[in-house]
Amino acid sequence: MNMRLTRTLASATLALAMLCGLAFIGTGATHMLDDGAVCVQTGFWANSSLEHDLPIGDGVKASSSATRLCQDSPSVGQRAADLGGELPWLLFGALALFLFSRLLKGVLLQGPFTDPVSRRLSVLGWFVTSGTLLTGLVVGWSQSWLVGSMAPMVGSGPTLSGPLVLVLAGLAAVIMGRIMREGVRMREDLEGTI
């Protein structure tokens, strides 16, 4: 029963990883070929009372609350920066799901408490930890650059965005992988003495 559930979960995560990969490719291709406006949210003027004299670039429209900026004819750089808010998380999700499906495949082939499975768990944990931070920086930098390209007077630096709680989950997986590796080593030592 458990093996069937693990096999189903491994297949489902691999399918989800492929779907995320296809969404990554499709979103990138369709967005770069799109000729529509590029919009970005900013909280820079959220607490100000600027009515008509917003320091925004030519061709940029601001919402009434001045927290949403839209460029009608964006440059290639602006379109690429707009993609920087969507694509990194899709790529991160696809790779994390792929690593998780490999972890489950290892459990199916070798059992849960083996050295390869503990190593795959550690790899997944390190990927989630560092990938969350890197992806958050790429998304934050892209959005900051996009805001700066539409409102040159706004000099906001790169920010970190996204679900940063994933860093804790990744570190927990690294620790569990280390604990499993020590348990495997202790079991091998015990079997060697008997």
Side-chain angles (χ1 to χ4, degrees), residues 57-69:
D58 294 334
V60 177
K61 295 177 185 170
S63 65
S64 61
S65 64
T67 57
R68 183 172 169 87
L69 303 173

Side-chain angles (χ1 to χ4, degrees), residues 14-34:
L14 184 59
L16 284 173
M18 287 183 189
L19 284 175
C20 282
L22 288 174
F24 172 79
I25 293 168
T27 301
T30 58
H31 196 74
M32 287 306 284
L33 297 175
D34 183 18

Side-chain angles (χ1 to χ4, degrees), residues 49-99:
S49 59
L50 297 172
E51 292 288 329
H52 301 290
D53 290 335
L54 294 175
I56 56 177
D58 294 334
V60 177
K61 295 177 185 170
S63 65
S64 61
S65 64
T67 57
R68 183 172 169 87
L69 303 173
C70 291
Q71 177 82 43
D72 283 332
S73 55
S75 67
V76 173
Q78 287 174 321
R79 194 162 297 286
D82 187 39
L83 273 175
E86 297 176 41
L87 288 186
W89 287 115
L90 283 172
L91 181 61
F92 171 78
L95 293 174
L97 285 168
F98 176 72
L99 289 173

Side-chain angles (χ1 to χ4, degrees), residues 114-128:
T114 59
D115 193 49
V117 169
S118 67
R119 290 187 191 284
R120 287 180 183 181
L121 183 60
S122 293
V123 167
L124 176 63
W126 281 118
F127 176 79
V128 169

Side-chain angles (χ1 to χ4, degrees), residues 89-157:
W89 287 115
L90 283 172
L91 181 61
F92 171 78
L95 293 174
L97 285 168
F98 176 72
L99 289 173
F100 185 63
S101 72
R102 284 189 35 85
L103 171 69
L104 292 175
K105 194 68 141 175
V107 169
L108 281 171
L109 295 176
Q110 299 160 342
F113 301 106
T114 59
D115 193 49
V117 169
S118 67
R119 290 187 191 284
R120 287 180 183 181
L121 183 60
S122 293
V123 167
L124 176 63
W126 281 118
F127 176 79
V128 169
T129 300
S130 59
T132 298
L133 295 174
L134 182 64
T135 303
L137 279 173
V138 168
V139 169
W141 179 83
S142 295
Q143 296 302 305
S144 296
W145 186 88
L146 190 56
V147 168
S149 73
M150 292 184 192
M153 300 298 287
V154 178
S156 64

Side-chain angles (χ1 to χ4, degrees), residues 184-194:
V184 167
R185 187 187 60 76
M186 289 172 57
R187 186 184 72 200
E188 289 172 352
D189 288 346
L190 184 63
E191 288 174 355
T193 58
I194 292 179

